[in-house]
């Protein structure tokens, strides 16, 4: 499929322009139906793709999930607002801190709470550290899926370990951090922690250089990823794709710039955009975003003010927001993470909804895979960067 | 960004008879929503997406809400004739009495759509649609043809709430398995009694396990008696 043909079809917005193409088998070959997963090393968890193959070509692909479904939303409706906070860690278990942040932001919108300045800085610092380790990991796993067994992934893990150590020191847990509260953060960071964070951040550009030198011009990587899994920008927007997947399609939409939430207006950073809309762009976008996160971290660690980390008016016990509803969203490493809450004035939310980025990003998986080879499906899925804890909830 | 009132006026100008209502949101978030009539929802959606000024091209979040039947108790003043004995003579006197009347407000299922604009970088605009009731008239039009991001999320609502989206290209269960009955996110959902015991049964779980075992034993004895 050429890009220009796809574009002209979409300009007209004829009925069904946003549906997956129908692929007719060549000659009178029969389609072969294969279930990729649920136990497949490339699916990053228990996830299945029901694929119909015409030879090596993908003619149909239906993602099947729900293997980890635990009705997270029902659990959220059965307990107090605060009691859901540790559960949000388990959504996207790679980035628990940004999950905390999105939930706290939605509740703060619902109840009209203020966040002290130091807490905002701490949120940005841990949020961006989370983004760095998520993107390092996403790139590492993508290369691992391609067959570069071990080495690049271990480079990513080495750097991630340093960041997880920081999380452990601050919050008490490496991955299930449960750090944020409505109206601030649970504990303050010590000066020693901030110094250590500065040291870790100072090492990150070197890591990015190393990873880029190792991978970006690698011939095999380029041959496997360039021109594969193309996602046109119009379809990406229409299908609700967000995060690096959307920006790799050349759409300038970063909630840190658009929503002006928290204190992101104070930092100087750029939003990298893709040009070719393919897997290679998605891989490069993550490396570039990692560098931008480092820039934000440097500024935040320099400017962080003193003061309290909790709004003194915020109530932890007996927290009952007035009736109403709110939708709050942040730019999580995987895309737009939103929480939609309805309060009826009681201690529990009447409705607690998570809008997971990986779940919605999977909508376009079929469109990206059609016409590609089976081996490319693994790469395309890897470039979407999903976590099943969040998809299945 | 236009206010909800302006968006309502724009919709009503573009889609005659759309009859949009504003649902106020008293919380500090100030995200008021627009209640659409299901029969006009697709036309309104198309307008909102393609209008040059609104350009709501990004449907971020789609979700369901279950509102149960509500029993509303109202105090009404009623005048009635009462027979009373006044000064030893039986008389019919008019008297005003407070009476509590109960009326049931029927429940409904609701689909909520959060729209943003990538082109204009504004939002959210919140749309709502309501079903007739919670049992047999649960159809709503699907907006998947307008925003593809509704595809999986409407499937999720169908799965967990039981709203049937007409015109959806592939309406199947998505999180629960295909043979599953019922809709677990509904407020009156009762978990099936299908477990024997849990390894650490206690409190409520222990009670349920005991009830379950008693039921099973009764069933076995009944079977033996026949």
């Amino acid at each position: 499929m050429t890009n220009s043909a796809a574009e002209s079809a979409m300009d007209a917005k004829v009925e069904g322009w946003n549906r997956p193409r129908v692929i007719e088998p060549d000659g009178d070959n029969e389609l072969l139906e294969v279930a990729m997963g649920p136990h497949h090393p490339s699916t990053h968890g228990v996830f299945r793709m029901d694929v119909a193959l015409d030879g090596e070509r993908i003619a149909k692909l239906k993602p099947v999930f729900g293997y980890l479904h635990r009705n997270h939303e029902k659990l959220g409706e059965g307990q107090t607002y605060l009691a859901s906070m540790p559960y949000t860690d388990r959504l996207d278990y790679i980035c628990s801190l940004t999950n905390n942040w999105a939930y706290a932001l939605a509740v703060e919108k619902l109840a009209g709470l203020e966040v002290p300045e130091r807490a905002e800085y701490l949120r940005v610092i841990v949020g961006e550290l989370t983004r760095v380790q998520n993107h390092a990991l996403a790139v590492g796993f993508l290369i691992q899926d391609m067959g570069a067994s071990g080495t690049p992934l271990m480079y990513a893990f080495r750097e991630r370990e340093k960041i997880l150590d920081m999380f452990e020191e601050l919050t008490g847990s490496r991955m299930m951090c449960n750090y944020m509260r409505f109206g601030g953060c649970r504990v303050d960071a010590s000066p020693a922690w901030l110094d250590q964070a500065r040291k870790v951040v100072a090492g990150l550009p070197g890591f990015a250089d190393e990873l880029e030198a190792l991978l970006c011009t690698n011939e095999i990587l380029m041959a496997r990823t360039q021109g594969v899994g193309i996602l046109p920008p119009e379809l990406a927007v229409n299908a609700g794709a967000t995060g690096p997947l959307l920006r790799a399609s050349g759409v300038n939409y970063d909630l840190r710039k658009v929503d002006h939430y928290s204190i992101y207006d104070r930092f100087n950073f750029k939003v990298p955009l893709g040009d070719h809309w393919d897997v290679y762009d998605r891989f490069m976008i993550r490396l570039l975003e990692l560098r931008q996160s480092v820039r934000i971290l440097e500024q935040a660690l320099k400017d962080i003010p003193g003061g309290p980390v909790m709004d003194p008016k915020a109530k932890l016990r007996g927290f009952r927001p007035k009736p109403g509803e709110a939708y709050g969203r942040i730019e999580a490493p995987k895309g737009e993470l939103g929480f939609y809450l309805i309060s009826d004035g009681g201690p529990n939310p009447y409705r607690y909804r998570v809008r997971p980025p990986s779940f919605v990003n999977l909508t376009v998986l079929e469109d990206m895979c059609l016409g590609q080879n089976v081996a490319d499906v693994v790469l395309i899925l890897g470039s979407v960067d999903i976590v099943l804890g969040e998809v299945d909830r | 960004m236009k206010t909800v009132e302006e968006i309502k006026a724009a919709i009503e100008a573009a889609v005659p008879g759309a009859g949009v209502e504003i649902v106020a949101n008293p919380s500090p978030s100030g995200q008021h929503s627009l209640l659409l009539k299901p029969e006009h929802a697709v036309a309104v959606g198309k307008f909102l997406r393609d209008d040059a000024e609104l350009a709501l091209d990004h449907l971020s979040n789609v979700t369901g809400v279950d509102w149960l039947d509500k029993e509303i108790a109202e105090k009404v003043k009623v005048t009635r004739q009462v027979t009373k004995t006044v000064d030893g003579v039986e008389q019919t006197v008019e008297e005003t009495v407070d009476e509590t009347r109960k009326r049931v407000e029927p429940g409904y299922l609701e689909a909520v759509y959060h729209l943003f604009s990538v082109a204009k970088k504004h939002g959210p605009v919140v749309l709502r649609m309501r079903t007739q009731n919670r049992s047999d008239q649960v159809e709503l039009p699907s907006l998947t043809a307008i925003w593809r991001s509704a595809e999986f999320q409407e499937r999720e609502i169908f799965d967990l709430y039981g709203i049937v989206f007409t015109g959806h290209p592939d309406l199947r269960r998505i999180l629960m398995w295909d043979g599953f009955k019922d809709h677990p996110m509904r407020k009156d959902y009762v978990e099936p009694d299908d477990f024997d015991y849990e390894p650490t049964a206690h409190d409520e779980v222990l009670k349920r396990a005991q009830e379950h075992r008693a039921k099973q034993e009764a069933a076995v004895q009944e079977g033996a008696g026949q």
Side-chain angles (χ1 to χ4, degrees):
Chain A
M1 184 175 68
T2 60
N3 294 348
S4 57
E7 262 177 309
S8 61
M10 279 162 196
D11 280 342
K13 287 217 171 134
V14 280
E15 197 74 20
W17 67 274
N18 56 5
R19 301 300 311 161
R21 298 180 288 149
V22 177
I23 293 201
E24 300 292 342
D26 284 341
D28 32 83
N29 292 342
E30 268 182 45
L31 291 181
L32 175 70
E33 289 190 12
V34 182
M36 278 181 84
H39 294 286
H40 189 279
S42 78
T43 54
H44 302 209
V46 267
F47 174 72
R48 191 171 98 220
M49 288 170 281
D50 282 347
V51 186
L53 295 176
D54 170 33
E56 276 281 307
R57 263 189 341 147
I58 305 285
K60 221 186 266 173
L61 183 145
K62 297 285 172 212
V64 180
F65 38 82
Y67 295 97
L68 282 182
H69 182 53
R70 55 211 182 269
N71 221 340
H72 179 88
E73 293 176 7
K74 189 92 176 174
L75 291 175
E77 286 170 18
Q79 59 197 5
T80 59
Y81 286 86
L82 186 60
S84 287
M85 185 60 89
Y87 281 92
T88 60
D89 291 337
R90 276 93 179 151
L91 283 168
D92 174 357
Y93 42 78
I94 309 283
C95 321
S96 59
L97 283 158
T98 45
N99 299 343
N100 287 178
W101 194 357
Y103 181 49
L105 190 89
V107 175
E108 281 151 13
K109 267 196 177 168
L110 181 70
L113 294 173
E114 296 280 317
V115 183
E117 210 179 342
R118 186 175 171 84
E120 291 279 27
Y121 270 89
L122 281 173
R123 284 180 179 193
V124 168
I125 291 167
V126 294
E128 292 306 318
L129 281 173
T130 304
R131 197 183 313 278
V132 167
Q133 56 101 0
N134 177 76
H135 283 359
L137 217 56
V139 166
F141 276 124
L142 177 66
I143 310 298
Q144 165 99 343
D145 291 347
M146 205 181 297
S149 184
T151 312
L153 183 64
M154 286 305 126
Y155 275 53
F157 262 89
R158 185 194 62 204
E159 219 58 30
R160 177 169 181 258
E161 254 347 271
K162 291 181 193 160
I163 293 174
L164 291 191
D165 284 348
M166 304 292 309
F167 290 167
E168 186 175 17
E169 202 179 324
L170 182 64
T171 70
S173 178
R174 295 166 76 245
M175 289 170 79
M176 304 290 121
C177 297
N178 181 19
Y179 179 56
M180 293 182 199
R181 292 289 179 267
F182 316 134
C185 297
R186 181 159 52 88
V187 284
D188 198 356
S190 66
W193 187 87
L194 289 171
D195 280 342
Q196 182 62 26
R198 283 182 195 109
K199 251 184 233 161
V200 169
V201 170
L204 286 173
F207 161 67
D209 289 343
E210 188 184 54
L211 208 60
E212 271 182 25
L214 184 68
L215 300 172
C216 288
T217 51
N218 182 298
E219 225 176 299
I220 303 171
L221 189 143
M222 280 155 73
R224 289 288 310 273
T225 57
Q226 289 184 346
V228 169
I230 287 173
L231 177 63
E234 279 235 8
L235 180 64
V237 172
N238 191 270
T242 43
L245 181 65
L246 179 67
R247 290 190 287 275
S249 290
V251 181
N252 187 353
Y253 196 66
D254 187 321
L255 301 187
R256 292 174 293 177
K257 294 272 191 195
V258 173
D259 275 15
H260 311 286
Y261 70 91
S262 189
I263 47 165
Y264 275 112
D265 280 347
R266 298 185 196 177
F267 304 119
N268 189 7
F269 68 101
K270 288 192 179 126
V271 180
L273 297 177
D275 217 9
H276 304 282
W277 323 338
D278 56 6
V279 173
Y280 187 80
D281 273 11
R282 277 166 229 144
F283 155 79
M284 271 314 286
I285 287 280
R286 294 207 165 87
L287 283 179
L288 295 172
E289 276 191 10
L290 194 152
R291 287 181 184 276
Q292 296 303 322
S293 290
V294 174
R295 276 180 72 188
I296 298 175
L297 279 167
E298 282 165 355
Q299 295 168 56
L301 284 165
K302 203 176 84 198
D303 300 342
I304 183 166
V309 293
M310 272 298 283
D311 181 4
K313 279 177 293 177
K315 270 171 84 178
L316 281 185
R317 286 172 197 282
F319 177 73
R320 286 163 187 254
K322 291 197 183 76
E325 59 172 62
Y327 179 66
R329 55 177 198 164
I330 67 160
E331 182 71 38
K334 292 183 168 62
E336 173 186 334
L337 175 63
F339 280 82
Y340 173 60
L341 299 161
I342 300 182
S343 164
D344 58 355
N348 302 353
Y350 185 81
R351 178 77 178 98
Y352 165 92
R353 150 83 178 164
V354 188
R355 188 262 188 215
S358 325
F359 176 78
V360 184
N361 284 353
L362 279 176
T363 312
V364 279
L365 183 66
E366 181 173 13
D367 303 65
M368 289 192 279
C369 290
L370 288 181
Q372 306 281 352
N373 291 340
V374 195
D376 295 335
V377 171
V378 171
L379 291 186
I380 294 168
L381 180 68
S383 75
V384 177
D385 187 16
I386 59 166
V387 157
L388 270 302
E390 182 178 67
V391 174
D392 295 343
R393 275 160 299 140
Chain B
M1 178 69 187
K2 286 180 169 181
T3 61
V4 264
E5 285 82 10
E6 285 165 348
I7 296 171
K8 175 180 187 270
I11 292 173
E12 279 168 352
V15 185
V20 181
E21 277 175 58
I22 292 175
V23 181
N25 176 8
S27 100
S29 72
Q31 295 165 346
H32 307 292
S33 44
L34 297 162
L35 180 64
L36 305 185
K37 283 184 182 163
E39 58 269 31
H40 295 291
V42 176
V44 171
K46 260 199 189 110
F47 164 72
L48 291 175
R49 186 193 65 187
D50 296 335
D51 183 57
E53 201 176 333
L54 288 167
L56 296 162
D57 47 7
H58 177 60
L59 172 60
S60 163
N61 177 44
V62 187
T63 189
V65 188
D66 182 12
W67 299 96
L68 290 172
D69 295 348
K70 244 192 287 184
E71 199 171 70
I72 297 172
E74 279 174 339
K75 278 202 173 156
V76 193
K77 286 211 162 134
V78 186
T79 334
R80 57 172 121 161
Q81 302 204 325
V82 187
T83 328
K84 264 191 183 174
T85 321
V86 184
D87 306 332
V89 187
E90 209 164 87
Q91 281 182 341
T92 312
V93 189
E94 281 208 347
E95 211 179 43
T96 318
V97 198
D98 275 345
E99 205 179 73
T100 322
R101 279 188 192 168
K102 282 183 184 164
R103 92 189 141 84
V104 176
E105 206 168 75
Y108 48 83
L109 300 168
E110 193 172 52
V112 186
Y113 294 75
H114 285 88
L115 296 168
F116 291 85
S117 173
V118 170
K120 302 270 175 182
K121 302 203 170 25
H122 60 216
V125 172
V126 192
L127 305 181
R128 311 180 96 90
M129 284 193 282
R130 290 173 184 171
T131 61
Q132 296 290 315
N133 57 28
R134 298 177 66 255
S135 47
D136 52 345
Q137 288 168 293
V138 289
E139 279 97 26
L140 287 180
S142 165
L143 300 185
T144 304
I146 303 166
W147 294 285
R148 177 80 185 283
S149 50
E151 185 178 346
F152 282 7
Q153 303 193 67
E154 281 180 350
R155 265 177 75 186
E156 189 188 318
I157 301 173
F158 166 72
D159 187 357
L160 302 181
Y161 281 95
I163 298 179
V164 178
F165 287 95
T166 49
H168 191 285
D170 184 22
L171 198 63
R172 291 177 289 138
R173 285 191 179 270
I174 191 165
L175 293 174
M176 307 304 283
W177 56 100
D178 286 333
F180 188 81
K181 300 265 183 318
D182 215 340
H183 307 289
M185 276 302 284
R186 288 205 184 181
K187 290 278 176 189
D188 53 0
Y189 173 75
V190 183
E191 278 176 59
D193 180 22
D194 60 355
F195 67 97
D196 282 337
Y197 70 95
E198 286 189 9
T200 53
H202 57 87
D203 303 344
E204 279 174 39
V205 180
L206 182 65
K207 219 171 111 193
R208 272 182 60 192
Q210 280 166 349
E211 276 170 19
H212 177 78
R213 207 170 302 149
K215 229 185 271 173
Q216 269 193 329
E217 275 164 18
V220 169
Q221 275 174 3
E222 206 174 291
Q226 287 168 355

